Amino acid sequence: MSHESLPHLIGVDGGGSSCRAALRLGPDGPRHEVTLGAANVSTNFDEAVATIREALGQLCEKAGLPQAELVRARAHLGLAGVMNEEIAGRVAAALPIGRAQVTDDRPTTLAGAFGDGNGAVAAIGTGSFLGRQQGGQQKLAGGWGFVIGDQASGAWIGRRLLEEVVLCVDGFSAETELVRDVLAAHGRDPSLIVAFSLSARPKDFADFARHVEAAAVLGDPLAKALMEEGAGYIVRGLASLGWRKGEPLCLMGGLGPAYAPFLPQVMQRSLVPPKGSALDGALALAARIPEGVT
């Protein structure tokens, strides 16, 4: 049987900074991928859905597949901001896909990292979550969004940086090179930092994370303290999930690997590369969707 006669598979990994999507023509056919902008359905639902639809259109164009063929596709979408079944249903209903499952981005990340195996992940990008897979069961922590969660994430570390900068302006601490750089970028006018913070989105705060990471490597005291604070959250969270010494641990996401030197040695020795990405996990979960599931 040719791949043209089998259901096409679609995987989507949508986060606060980017949306990656893949289309496989049949379970064993060629794979096509695209990457677009943010697709966090809790931040801006309509914008996220429009991004996903655009990604689907680009995938069909790359594959030479009429978009009408999507009605016989199976898809799994792991999206930041999917907090409940109502949101998942709204996303699925807005897409021209025959059978679609929509979850948050945690199950796809675990599926990509370990397949059916055991282990834990600290997925740290614009947002964050922790997860552990044991005996086919998943336990999850975090993923509650920027306002009350996403500890250790790029957005969190950016907001924390600006918080410490204004505390420094008020005399709570001495200026470090990182503080001076942030102040200089805002004309040494704290009111401009406040103005930025009032309209900034998570991805805007996350733009500071790389500066913190680089400054920590150079020994900046504030940058090191922020990375250590984020690492402390990872350690506590993994303990709450039951992670044990020697269990495989993956640091994933754009910022995750940067925390490696700030973790305890017992965790550093357990670090392993993921088998695949969250996008790989989304495709794998799409392949498991049985006939008739919508």
Side-chain angles (χ1 to χ4, degrees):
M1 185 179 291
S2 68
H3 65 72
E4 286 85 357
S5 62
L6 294 169
H8 304 308
L9 302 178
I10 296 170
V12 178
D13 172 36
S17 296
S18 67
C19 175
R20 299 183 301 151
L23 167 65
R24 188 181 295 282
L25 296 177
D28 301 308
R31 173 170 166 171
H32 302 274
E33 295 185 19
V34 298
T35 301
L36 281 76
N40 185 319
V41 295
S42 65
T43 300
N44 189 318
F45 182 89
D46 292 337
E47 182 179 288
V49 168
T51 297
I52 295 166
R53 292 182 68 96
E54 174 64 21
L56 294 175
Q58 290 189 22
L59 284 172
C60 287
E61 184 176 350
K62 272 193 169 188
L65 184 74
Q67 289 196 38
E69 283 289 292
L70 294 178
V71 297
R72 67 185 188 90
R74 301 180 191 179
H76 190 104
L77 297 87
L79 308 175
V82 176
M83 297 295 183
N84 52 49
E85 290 296 326
E86 187 270 335
I87 295 175
R90 286 177 61 201
V91 173
L95 301 176
I97 300 171
R99 292 186 295 280
Q101 288 182 340
V102 182
T103 65
D104 61 44
D105 51 355
R106 300 177 297 177
T108 53
T109 301
L110 277 169
F114 299 111
D116 294 328
N118 298 328
V121 300
I124 315 291
T126 300
S128 70
F129 84 88
L130 308 174
R132 181 173 180 253
Q133 187 166 278
Q134 186 74 20
Q137 300 298 312
Q138 292 185 353
K139 291 182 67 176
L140 303 166
W144 299 114
F146 175 62
V147 175
I148 60 172
D150 283 350
Q151 291 87 347
S153 71
W156 172 89
I157 213 167
R159 194 205 66 79
R160 283 286 292 114
L161 170 63
L162 298 187
E163 178 184 355
E164 291 298 327
V165 168
V166 294
L167 284 171
C168 180
V169 168
D170 285 339
F172 283 74
S173 59
E175 283 191 5
T176 71
E177 189 66 28
L178 179 59
V179 171
R180 285 189 285 272
D181 287 347
V182 174
L183 286 172
H186 293 84
R188 293 197 66 86
D189 184 352
S191 69
L192 296 181
I193 296 176
V194 174
F196 166 85
S197 71
L198 294 176
S199 60
R201 298 168 68 175
K203 64 184 181 66
D204 300 320
F205 284 107
D207 287 340
F208 289 98
R210 289 302 180 193
H211 300 290
V212 175
E213 177 188 351
V217 171
L218 295 175
D220 184 273
L222 173 58
K224 288 178 64 178
L226 291 175
M227 295 300 292
E228 289 166 355
E229 185 178 347
Y233 167 78
I234 295 172
V235 171
R236 295 193 306 275
L238 290 175
S240 76
L241 295 177
W243 182 87
R244 295 189 294 268
K245 177 181 177 181
E247 228 176 78
L249 172 61
C250 292
L251 298 179
M252 301 180 70
L255 190 60
Y259 278 107
F262 299 95
L263 295 175
Q265 285 293 320
V266 65
M267 285 189 170
Q268 292 187 37
R269 289 192 292 269
S270 296
L271 293 176
V272 298
K275 292 181 178 180
S277 67
L279 185 58
D280 297 322
L283 273 178
L285 293 175
R288 299 176 194 172
I289 298 175
E291 289 287 349
V293 173
T294 59

